[in-house]
Amino acid sequence: MALAIDVTKTEDYVTMTLSGDVDTKTAPDLLKELTGLELNALSQIRMKLADVGFMSSAGLRALVFAKQKMPQSSHLYVIGATDVIKETITKTGLAQAVVMVSNEDEIKWNE
C-alpha cells in the first residue's frame, strides 16, 4: 500500500499525518519529508499513525533519525499507533526515545 504524508507546520511544532504502510519502499518518502524539516530547531514532532497498518524497521529507522537530529529536550510523539506498531516500538527500545499517546489531547499531560 502506498504511503500518504500530510505535513502541517505551526509556530510550536510539526504534525505529520501518515496513511498507508511504512516499509522499505515507502520509508524513503518519510525520511525525505523529515530531512526537509529543520529538525534541530523543533521542540516537537507529532506523528499521527492511526491510519498506518504496518511499519517495518525502515520506518522505525526514520523515527530514530528524526529524534537524533532534534534537540535533546524535544519530544517526538507517536499518536494513535496500532497495538502491533506500539509493541514493535516498545520491543525495539524506541519507546525510550518517543512518547506514545492515543490522541493529541494526551500531549499536554506529557510535556
Side-chain angles (χ1 to χ4, degrees):
M1 175 185 267
L3 177 65
I5 305 169
D6 179 57
V7 179
T8 306
K9 298 176 184 177
T10 71
E11 205 172 295
D12 301 320
Y13 57 88
V14 172
T15 300
M16 300 182 83
T17 305
L18 280 60
S19 171
D21 292 338
V22 185
D23 55 25
T24 55
K25 291 183 180 182
T26 61
D29 297 333
L30 175 57
L31 194 56
K32 182 179 178 183
E33 290 289 342
L34 288 166
T35 56
L37 300 173
E38 293 184 41
L39 294 170
N40 62 345
L42 288 176
S43 62
Q44 309 183 356
I45 293 179
R46 298 179 180 194
M47 190 88 54
K48 293 184 174 182
L49 302 181
D51 294 327
V52 173
F54 174 77
M55 181 175 282
S56 73
S57 60
L60 295 177
R61 278 193 302 274
L63 297 181
V64 169
F65 167 82
K67 184 59 182 153
Q68 287 177 335
K69 298 294 182 186
M70 295 171 71
Q72 180 110 16
S73 61
S74 65
H75 299 285
L76 194 160
Y77 291 98
V78 173
I79 304 167
T82 64
D83 288 342
V84 172
I85 292 173
K86 287 192 288 190
E87 183 178 347
T88 301
I89 288 171
T90 300
K91 284 184 176 180
T92 59
L94 186 55
Q96 295 176 17
V98 303
V99 181
M100 292 188 286
V101 295
S102 298
N103 58 63
E104 280 189 278
D105 293 338
E106 293 179 37
I107 289 175
K108 63 184 174 203
W109 303 112
N110 289 305
E111 291 183 333

